[in-house]
């Protein structure tokens, strides 16, 4: 490392032909720079610069060394300049692991705003319901509910609290009575979801007046995605437990009927998380700023 620093100092003096100008560029005193060059000359056993009261010039050995190392330092300086440009104009790939709902409800709207402004940034989103080790799997960040974020991660809230909804189609409720309590769901055809983190069917979390109920109803259908659960509910094949934002339009237009609304609580909103010990790329930093939830 000392050789590298001393060679950089030598190249600067040789190009500037002045200890004073070179010292100003390097941010050191002329005397300290002169001592650095003397130390380098002692180590190589050759005089590299000819000094007079008016000028500094490379010796034959110094000129040969400058021709060798000078272009290398110029390449390094050019690359550093390129990195500075990347900071101003981010580029590269950002890899994110997430569940399906935050991918649809949070990430997709943000990307619509973000990507047109940064054409050199690519975003790769992998939907995975497992609690992925983002470091081991090579992801830049992950998205999970706040309560699922590991303690050694930096977490940034990217969405409001989430509310669920229990819904069924009018056609379904022509054949079956509308449930009045969570226990009534056990007599209905529940459209279930299987997640690897639960080791079985995803329980329907319901709550009212401090009383919590976990419903695991039976049914003919089990899926691991939102779209098929929603389509099956619209087709009258059963009742489904869905994120509220995915069904409100259908409820408003009469395609679905919402039931047990007073039993549907809010859950902590989604957070984007990334390793606290890793320097974030400019592209990820900008995407985080776009995603950051600024609501109450």
């Amino acid at each position: 490392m000392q050789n590298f620093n001393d060679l950089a100092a030598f190249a600067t003096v040789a190009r500037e032909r002045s200890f004073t100008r070179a010292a100003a560029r390097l941010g050191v005193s002329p005397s300290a720079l002169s001592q650095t060059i003397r130390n380098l000359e002692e180590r190589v056993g050759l005089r590299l610069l000819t000094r007079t009261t008016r000028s500094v010039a490379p010796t034959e050995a110094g000129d040969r060394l400058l021709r060798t190392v000078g272009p290398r330092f110029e390449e390094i300086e050019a690359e550093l300049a390129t990195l500075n440009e990347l900071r101003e104009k981010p580029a590269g790939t950002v890899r994110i692991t997430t569940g399906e709902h935050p991918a649809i409800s949070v990430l997709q709207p943000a990307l619509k705003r973000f990507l047109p402004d940064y054409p050199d940034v690519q975003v790769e989103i992998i939907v995975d319901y497992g609690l992925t080790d983002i470091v081991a799997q090579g992801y830049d960040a992950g998205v999970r509910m706040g309560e699922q974020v590991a303690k050694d991660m930096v977490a940034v809230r990217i969405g409001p609290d989430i509310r669920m909804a229990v819904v069924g189609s009018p056609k379904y409720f022509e054949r079956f009575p509308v449930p009045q309590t969570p226990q009534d769901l056990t007599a209905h055809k529940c459209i279930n979801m299987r997640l690897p983190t639960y080791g079985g069917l995803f329980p329907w979390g319901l709550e009212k007046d401090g009383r919590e109920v976990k419903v695991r109803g039976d049914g003919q259908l089990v899926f691991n995605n939102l779209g098929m659960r929603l389509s099956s509910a619209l087709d009258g094949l059963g009742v489904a437990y869905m994120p509220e934002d995915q069904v409100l339009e259908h409820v408003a237009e009469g395609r679905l009927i919402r039931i047990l609304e007073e039993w549907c609580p809010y859950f902590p909103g989604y957070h984007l998380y990334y390793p606290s010990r890793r320097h974030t790329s400019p592209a990820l930093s900008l995407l985080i700023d776009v995603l950051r939830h600024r609501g109450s």
Side-chain angles (χ1 to χ4, degrees):
M1 195 65 198
Q2 182 181 1
N3 284 336
F4 181 87
N5 292 335
D6 291 355
L7 286 171
F10 160 75
T12 303
V13 175
R15 286 197 297 256
E16 293 292 335
R17 303 293 178 104
S18 166
F19 276 94
T20 302
R21 290 195 299 270
R25 283 195 58 184
L26 296 171
V28 298
S29 68
S31 59
L33 182 56
S34 179
Q35 184 61 48
T36 296
I37 299 302
R38 280 196 294 271
N39 291 340
L40 175 62
E41 290 175 329
E42 289 176 3
R43 287 202 302 278
V44 300
L46 293 168
R47 182 172 292 279
L48 301 174
L49 295 171
T50 300
R51 306 163 178 82
T52 69
T53 56
R54 294 185 178 182
S55 66
V56 176
T59 63
E60 181 181 355
D63 188 59
R64 178 176 175 177
L65 181 61
L66 180 62
R67 289 197 305 270
T68 302
V69 303
R72 304 320 192 260
F73 284 113
E74 289 172 1
E75 290 172 5
I76 292 171
E77 289 172 358
E79 186 61 31
L80 290 174
T82 300
L83 293 178
N84 285 332
E85 290 176 5
L86 287 178
R87 185 174 58 198
E88 300 298 327
K89 185 181 179 183
T93 299
V94 177
R95 300 185 72 236
I96 300 175
T97 175
T98 179
E100 184 182 12
H101 182 235
I104 294 170
S105 64
V106 180
L107 295 180
Q108 187 66 46
L111 292 177
K112 185 167 63 175
R113 303 191 306 272
F114 174 78
L115 291 179
D117 292 334
Y118 301 101
D120 295 322
V121 174
Q122 295 83 44
V123 179
E124 179 179 343
I125 295 177
I126 303 299
V127 172
D128 180 4
Y129 286 107
L131 296 178
T132 305
D133 184 334
I134 61 173
V135 175
Q137 298 299 319
Y139 289 102
D140 296 290
V143 176
R144 294 291 181 264
M145 285 188 177
E147 60 189 8
Q148 295 178 325
V149 176
K151 300 300 183 184
D152 60 344
M153 295 285 169
V154 176
V156 178
R157 187 181 179 99
I158 60 174
D161 286 347
I162 303 160
R163 195 182 189 199
M164 302 297 287
V166 184
V167 294
S169 72
K171 181 169 63 175
Y172 176 85
F173 288 121
E174 287 174 2
R175 295 182 290 127
F176 298 94
V178 176
Q180 302 301 312
T181 68
Q183 289 75 17
D184 293 342
L185 290 170
T186 58
H188 282 264
K189 297 180 183 294
C190 294
I191 301 169
N192 282 302
M193 185 173 188
R194 189 180 299 278
L195 298 178
T197 51
Y198 287 89
L201 299 182
F202 179 68
W204 298 12
L206 303 175
E207 181 183 337
K208 181 181 178 182
D209 299 329
R211 179 188 173 197
E212 296 183 14
V213 179
K214 297 287 187 182
V215 177
R216 289 180 171 85
D218 292 327
Q220 294 176 280
L221 293 170
V222 178
F223 300 110
N224 69 345
N225 66 78
L226 289 173
M228 296 189 74
R229 285 155 60 207
L230 178 58
S231 294
S232 297
L234 288 167
D235 290 341
L237 299 178
V239 293
Y241 182 72
M242 299 283 297
E244 183 183 62
D245 64 290
Q246 299 297 299
V247 300
L248 286 181
E249 180 179 343
H250 297 291
V251 172
E253 296 182 4
R255 293 187 292 269
L256 290 174
I257 296 172
R258 185 171 188 174
I259 60 175
L260 302 174
E261 183 172 355
E262 70 277 12
W263 281 91
C264 293
Y266 285 90
F267 296 97
Y270 293 114
H271 287 65
L272 182 139
Y273 64 97
Y274 54 93
S276 59
R277 295 179 297 277
R278 179 179 294 178
H279 179 69
T280 57
S281 68
L284 178 58
S285 296
L286 284 167
L287 182 57
I288 290 171
D289 189 59
V290 171
L291 286 166
R292 191 182 304 274
H293 179 61
R294 293 175 171 84
S296 57

